[in-house]
Each structure stands twice: as structure tokens, then as C-alpha cells.
Amino acid sequence: MTSSRTKAEWQALDAAHFLHPFSDSQQIAARGTRLITRAEGIYLFDADGHRLLDGMSGLWCVALGYGRRELADAAFRQMNELPYYNSFFQCATPPAIELAAKLAEITPPQFQHVFFTGSGSEAIDTVIRLTRRYWELEGQPERNVIIGRWNGYHGSTIAGASLGGMKYMHTQGLLPMPGIAHIEQPYAFELGQGQTPAEFGLAQARLLEQKILELGPERVAAFIGEPVQGAGGVIIPPETYWPEIQRICDRYGILLVSDEVICGFGRTGQWFGCEHYGTRPDLMSMAKALSSGYLPIGGVMVGDRVANTLIAKGEEFAHGFTYSGHPVCSAVALENLRILERENVVAHVRDVAAPYLQGRWSQLADHPLVGEARGVGLLGALELVRSKHPRQWFEPRGKVGERCRDNAIQNGLVMRATRDTMIIAPPLVITRSEIDELVEKAWRTLDQTHAELRRDGLL
Ligand code: PXG
């Protein structure tokens, strides 16, 4: 397949026919799409045969790394046995049932039920439909506003993009939809100057209480947040933040939703991000590492509070997708979870990989371009700044991040840039020597970017 055309032919066909997510098509046509042709372990290989350390686990999903034969075998076996059947109208398939039971086992105890979807965005749509349905069944249909956060990311469907707080997404196509509100995020580097982390965490959490009072508590259905904001730039809340959010949700009786699409399945060193921060969510959206990204599958864990109401009323919940509980995706997800358990991957993150990565990553703060190096679990971010003291950002924001990302790729490392924040989220199975390689390549990339900026008179 990959050898049947030259790289130039692939790029020409790509430019002619393929509309890419979140990409400027003219830019792709001018530069040629970056073609990845195969992968092994934590490494990608491009069409020129260059080896890249995948510091982003694909798109925050390839927890087990590439080339896991067991996952391919699980798909092959299930495709031969039963490639598709639906879970509508009182039907089910064994892999979907097994996966539901396994998820009930590994998630916090309030979760005994799951609703399957094909992606994280569909999980978010499902969260909205579930929360509103819950309050309808509870006799409070006016409780329909869901509160999210600016710079949160919850996907790209109309509901996901609305609930997310990416303002540039809201500028396209009449977003956000009605019944959504946003509060400011716990982004200390940008917003917390002059406050201790503890003070800042409490202040940002109390914005939720202010918003609830402003809207009227009787109108608020739920609050949703990523334990650590991923796409927004690995925004790590102070330790005081989540306990205060939990207190506020409890006080006003509103549902707490933890969007675990990135943090779920070991990323923070716990199975779920809510366990890292000690919250007790009523709903949890998930996708990505549920199957290590090998096949598309997502879902919502439904806590007893919501499940009991939904089930007790004995009415149909008019929601679902053709691929809810797809048997092949479920079989692969199940095998993925079994490997995570068998190989103690979450404990490896908690006890070995995360402490080692965080120790090494924090050294990057010594680089003259880096205003902050932060991280938790196997997530890391670098804030690129023009000057550390006094703090000055680059203007316009985002250009230096993009340049740094391109340099990283030249240096054999995939990092992602959000504005001028460089991000990593490597596969959970990364070893210490691979972490050394990642950090050395990041350092070399920063040096190269720094030298270029001086050469170009931007520093
Ligand atoms: N919630 C969160 C927290 C996510 O990170 C979604 C929902 C939506 O999932 P789907 O499967 O519909 O994409 C996501 C997705 C980026 C990037 O650039 C992040 C995501 C997707 C694409 C790009 O960091 N996260």
C-alpha cells in the first residue's frame, strides 16, 4: 500500500482530495502533508524513513505504543467471528458486554454502567443528553445549563465545540449552542501572577459558585472539566482546585462530569484523572487510550445517581449510535485494558516513568526560552517566552511555538504546540532511556529555536 506511490504522488493526491481536521489546506498544499507510513514501539517512521520519537502518543491515545500484535489479533479474531452487530433494540454482542463489565471493575465504585460511543466528541454529546434527561426525569427540566471552562476542549461536534472553551472554534458556525456557560480556567502561568498556587486554585474554583449564583442554581444541570486540560496546553490545576469544585457541586446538587478522554487509563499515574485529584464525578467521558487508539471507541461511565434515575423510570433513552458497542472495537479495547492490567502499566507510570520524566523535564526550565516547565504523570508542557524577568511573551502569540514544533520534528521528536506552549504526552510504556532521548531532543530543539530567533532579530 505505502510503496505503491511515491511521496510526491501521495502529497499531490492529498492536496487534491483530503480536507484535514484543524488544518489550513493552502498551507498543506504548499508544504506537502507530513506522511507517516509505519510505527513501532514509541517511534514513527515518515515517508523518507526518518525515525521520530512520538512524544504525543499519536493524538494523546496510543498508550501501549505501536505494533502491539495482541491488539491486531483481537481485531482479526473478532472480525472473523462477528464483524458487526448493533446494541440497539435490546441486542448486544459478547465483546461489548465483557468490556462494559471490565470498565465497571476498573473505574471508581460509583460507576456500574457505561454508554458506548464511537469517539470522545460523541461521548460529550452523550453527556449533554444524559444530564438533561436526568434532570427531566427528576422533574426539574429547567435545570439544563451545563458549565464548562474557557480553553477547555471537549471535541468538535456542535455540542463538544460549544461545551469546550476554544473561542476561535466559537467564531465558526453559530457556536456555542444554547444552554452552555463558561468560567475562566485554572491556568496559573497566564492568570495567577501575584497569588500563591493554593490561593489561585481556590479563586478559580469559586468562579463556578459565582456562575451558579449568577445563572440561578435551579437552572444549572452540570459542571464539566478535564482533570488536566490537555489540548488547551496541559493546564495543571493547583491542588486546592478540584476539592473546591467538588464542594461547590455538592452544595448546589449539580452533576460533576470528569472528561477523561485524555487523562483516563493511566495518563496521570492513576487509572483516571479524577482519582489523582480525589473527586467523585457522576459521569466520566472517555475515548482515546480506551483502545490505545487502535480502533475508534469511546463512552460515558454513568454513575449510580444518574443510572438509577434513568433505569428506574422505565422509559427509553432516545439516544445511540450505529457503532455504540461495536464488537471489533470492543474486543480491541478489552484486550488493551487486559494488557494495561497484566503489564502493570499504570503502576509503571506512577512509580517509574512519571517521576523520572518529571525530574528530567523540570530541568528544561533552565533553558533561556522556557518560562515554565510543568507536568504531571506523563504529561508535560513548556511555556516559551521572550523574557523570563520581567515576563514577556512573543508577539504575535503562536508563531514561535509553531517554529519550535517544526524544529522538533527535524530533530526526530513529535511535540505539539498550543500557542507558544510546547506539549508532550508520550506512550505510557516509555522507558527511562527513551525519556532521556525525548528530553535531549527537546533541549536540542530549544537551542536551535533560540539560535534562529536571535539570528532573525526576534530575541
Ligand atoms: N474531550 C477531550 C478532553 C479531548 O481531549 C475530546 C473530548 C474529543 O474526542 P474525539 O475523539 O471526538 O476527538 C478530546 C479530543 C489536540 C487534540 O490538538 C486533542 C483532541 C483531539 C484532537 C486534537 O490536542 N482531544
Side-chain angles (χ1 to χ4, degrees), residues 58-136:
L59 210 44
W60 319 84
C61 50
V62 187
L64 287 179
Y66 301 92
R68 290 301 302 235
R69 186 65 198 258
E70 306 94 310
L71 299 183
D73 287 344
F76 184 76
R77 277 195 307 271
Q78 187 58 42
M79 281 227 182
N80 283 315
E81 181 92 14
L82 178 68
Y84 177 75
Y85 202 70
N86 69 69
S87 56
F88 280 51
F89 320 131
Q90 299 158 28
C91 296
T93 63
I97 298 172
E98 287 288 355
L99 180 60
K102 174 55 86 183
L103 285 166
E105 184 190 320
I106 64 172
T107 51
Q110 69 271 31
F111 295 115
Q112 291 302 316
H113 293 86
V114 61
F115 195 101
F116 286 120
T117 68
S119 69
S121 295
E122 287 177 9
I124 295 298
D125 280 55
T126 301
V127 161
I128 296 179
R129 300 221 53 211
L130 272 169
T131 50
R132 291 192 174 150
R133 183 70 188 137
Y134 167 78
W135 286 113
E136 283 164 13

Side-chain angles (χ1 to χ4, degrees), residues 398-411:
K399 290 283 169 221
V400 170
E402 210 175 292
R403 187 187 281 219
C404 188
R405 181 201 59 200
D406 291 347
N407 287 340
I409 289 165
Q410 262 183 33
N411 285 309

Side-chain angles (χ1 to χ4, degrees), residues 305-363:
R305 175 177 169 193
V306 175
N308 290 343
T309 298
L310 201 69
I311 294 165
K313 304 285 169 168
E315 271 180 49
E316 196 171 291
F317 177 41
H319 179 67
F321 305 100
T322 302
Y323 301 128
S324 288
H326 190 289
V328 182
C329 303
S330 298
V332 169
L334 191 60
E335 184 62 21
N336 176 61
L337 297 182
R338 285 180 175 148
I339 296 173
L340 285 172
E341 280 187 322
R342 193 164 68 232
E343 298 185 358
N344 289 316
V345 174
V346 182
H348 164 75
V349 174
R350 186 190 63 218
D351 300 336
V352 180
Y356 191 69
L357 174 74
Q358 296 308 334
R360 295 245 31 213
W361 189 251
S362 62
Q363 294 163 356

